[in-house]
C-alpha cells in the first residue's frame, strides 16, 4: 500500500522543500520515473521554474512549442510573485483536503485540477496584460486536455481545490473566493445570453458539491455549502447549506469550514428555508 511522504514544513519555502524531498524519494523507489522527476522538479531552483516547465510540457503541441509556452509562464511568474504564493496555497489545499494525496508530489505532477488552476492563473495574467487571444488559447488547450473550462477573465482566490476537476466550467465574470473547494461537474454560469456581469460570486471557504450548478449574478456567502447536483438560482447566505432543484436552504448554520473539511453531510431534517 502506498505510504504518505514525509511532508516537511519550515519558514523557508516549505512547499518547495517538501516537493523536492518527495521527488527524490519517488525517484529512488521508481527508477523508471527518475528522469521525468529530475527534469520536472529536481533540476530546478524554485517552484516557479518547475511549474513553468511542467505547464509548458503539458500544453505544448504542434501549434505552440513548449519553449514558447514556458517563456509565457516564466514571464507571468517573474512579473507577479503572488502567482507563486497562490500556487503554494493551492498545492497545500490539495494535500490538506484530499485523502488520496499522499504528499505534494502527486498533486503537482498528476492532479489535473491543480494543473488546470495554475494554467488558468497564467492565462488570467495574460488577460490582465491585454493579451486576450493568447489567454483564450491557453483556456482552449486546458479544455482539450483536462475537460476543465475556466474563462481567463474569471477571478479566483488562493488555496482553491478543484477535486477531480472533470467538467468544471467557470464563466467570464465569475468570482471565487479564497479557500474554496469545487468538485467535478460544477458550473458557475449565466442564465441566458445577457452580457455584462452575469456569473456567480462565490465567497470565501465555500464547498461546491459534484454536479452543482450555480447560475446568474448571485452571491454565495462565505463558508456556505452547495449540495451535489443542486441548481442554485438565488443568493445563499453565509454559513448556510443549499440543496435541491431548484435549491432551497436546508441548514443554517452549516459547519464552520465546509470547504476545508470537505463536509458533504446534510441535516436529517429538511428545514426548507426559502431563498
Amino acid at each position: 500500500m502506498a505510504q504518505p511522504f514525509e511532508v516537511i514544513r519550515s519558514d523557508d519555502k516549505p512547499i518547495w522543500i517538501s516537493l523536492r524531498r518527495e521527488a527524490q524519494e519517488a525517484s529512488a523507489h521508481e527508477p523508471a520515473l527518475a528522469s521525468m522527476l529530475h527534469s520536472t522538479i529536481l533540476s530546478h531552483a524554485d517552484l516557479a521554474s518547475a511549474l513553468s516547465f511542467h505547464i509548458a510540457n503539458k500544453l505544448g503541441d504542434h501549434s505552440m512549442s513548449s519553449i514558447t509556452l514556458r517563456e509565457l509562464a516564466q514571464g507571468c511568474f517573474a512579473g507577479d510573485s503572488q502567482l507563486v504564493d497562490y500556487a503554494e496555497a493551492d498545492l497545500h489545499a490539495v494535500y490538506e483536503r484530499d485523502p488520496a494525496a499522499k504528499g505534494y508530489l502527486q498533486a503537482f505532477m498528476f492532479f489535473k485540477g491543480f494543473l488546470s488552476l495554475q494554467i488558468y492563473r497564467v492565462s488570467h495574467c495574460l488577460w490582465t496584460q491585454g493579451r486576450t487571444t493568447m489567454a483564450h488559447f491557453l483556456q482552449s488547450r486546458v479544455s482539450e486536455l483536462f475537460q476543465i473550462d475556466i474563462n481567463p477573465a474569471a477571478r479566483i482566490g488562493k488555496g482553491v481545490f478543484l477535486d477531480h476537476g472533470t467538467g468544471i466550467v467557470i464563466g467570464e465574470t465569475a468570482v471565487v473566493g479564497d479557500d474554496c473547494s469545487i468538485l467535478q461537474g460544477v458550473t458557475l454560469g449565466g442564465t441566458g445570453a445577457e452580457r455584462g456581469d452575469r456569473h456567480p460570486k462565490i465567497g470565501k471557504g465555500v464547498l461546491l458539491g459534484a454536479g452543482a450548478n450555480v447560475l446568474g449574478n448571485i452571491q454565495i456567502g462565505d463558508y456556505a455549502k452547495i449540495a451535489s447536483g443542486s441548481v442554485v438560482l438565488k443568493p445563499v447566505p453565509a454559513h448556510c447549506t443549499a440543496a435541491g432543484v431548484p435549491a432551497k436552504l436546508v441548514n443554517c448554520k452549516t459547519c464552520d469550514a465546509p470547504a476545508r473539511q470537505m463536509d458533504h453531510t446534510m441535516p436529517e431534517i429538511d428545514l426548507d428555508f426559502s431563498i
Side-chain angles (χ1 to χ4, degrees):
M1 186 175 71
Q3 296 298 315
F5 290 104
E6 180 187 1
V7 177
I8 309 295
R9 301 306 303 271
S10 77
D11 293 332
D12 182 21
K13 303 177 183 177
I15 302 294
W16 179 240
I17 291 171
S18 293
L19 186 60
R20 285 185 59 87
R21 174 69 64 85
E22 292 171 26
Q24 290 166 347
E25 292 179 18
S27 295
H29 285 98
E30 293 287 355
L33 297 177
S35 177
M36 179 183 69
L37 292 170
H38 179 79
S39 63
T40 306
I41 296 173
L42 297 174
S43 65
H44 299 279
D46 53 36
L47 183 62
S49 177
L51 190 54
S52 63
F53 178 90
H54 194 27
I55 285 172
N57 251 16
K58 287 290 184 182
L59 295 183
D61 67 356
H62 65 279
S63 62
M64 182 79 67
S65 73
S66 58
I67 293 174
T68 300
L69 288 163
R70 188 179 183 193
E71 289 173 352
L72 283 174
Q74 285 180 319
C76 285
F77 292 143
D80 185 358
S81 61
Q82 187 178 64
L83 292 179
V84 180
D85 295 336
Y86 276 35
E88 288 189 342
D90 297 338
L91 196 55
H92 186 64
V94 180
Y95 175 72
E96 177 186 55
R97 301 174 208 170
D98 189 350
K102 309 306 179 186
Y104 297 124
L105 180 67
Q106 292 167 314
F108 182 89
M109 292 296 299
F110 308 124
F111 286 17
K112 65 181 182 180
F114 171 78
L115 290 172
S116 297
L117 186 55
Q118 305 322 306
I119 298 167
Y120 148 77
R121 297 199 187 284
V122 173
S123 74
H124 184 71
C125 168
L126 296 172
W127 182 274
T128 61
Q129 295 172 1
R131 303 181 66 179
T132 57
T133 303
M134 184 62 76
H136 279 304
F137 171 80
L138 296 186
Q139 176 192 5
S140 176
R141 286 292 292 142
V142 170
S143 181
E144 292 169 2
L145 288 170
F146 302 129
Q147 296 78 53
I148 297 173
D149 193 354
I150 306 175
N151 191 288
R155 291 179 288 155
I156 301 178
K158 64 180 182 296
V160 172
F161 175 35
L162 305 185
D163 193 10
H164 302 292
T166 303
I168 288 175
V169 177
I170 299 178
E172 179 185 23
T173 60
V175 177
V176 177
D178 294 344
D179 301 319
C180 288
S181 292
I182 304 176
L183 275 79
Q184 69 272 16
V186 166
T187 296
L188 304 181
T191 56
E194 74 275 14
R195 297 183 182 275
D197 194 357
R198 61 196 183 279
H199 295 107
K201 310 299 181 278
I202 309 299
K204 180 178 180 180
V206 173
L207 174 62
L208 299 171
N213 293 278
V214 185
L215 307 177
N217 184 13
I218 59 174
Q219 181 74 38
I220 307 300
D222 293 348
Y223 304 106
K225 180 162 59 175
I226 308 301
S228 297
S230 298
V231 177
V232 183
L233 302 172
K234 296 181 180 180
V236 175
H239 297 283
C240 288
T241 298
V245 182
K248 296 181 178 181
L249 300 185
V250 297
N251 190 25
C252 292
K253 154 181 179 183
T254 187
C255 63
D256 291 333
R260 294 188 66 180
Q261 298 172 24
M262 298 298 285
D263 179 8
H264 294 273
T265 59
M266 300 277 286
E268 292 185 6
I269 300 176
D270 188 335
L271 300 178
D272 197 22
F273 293 102
S274 297
I275 60 173

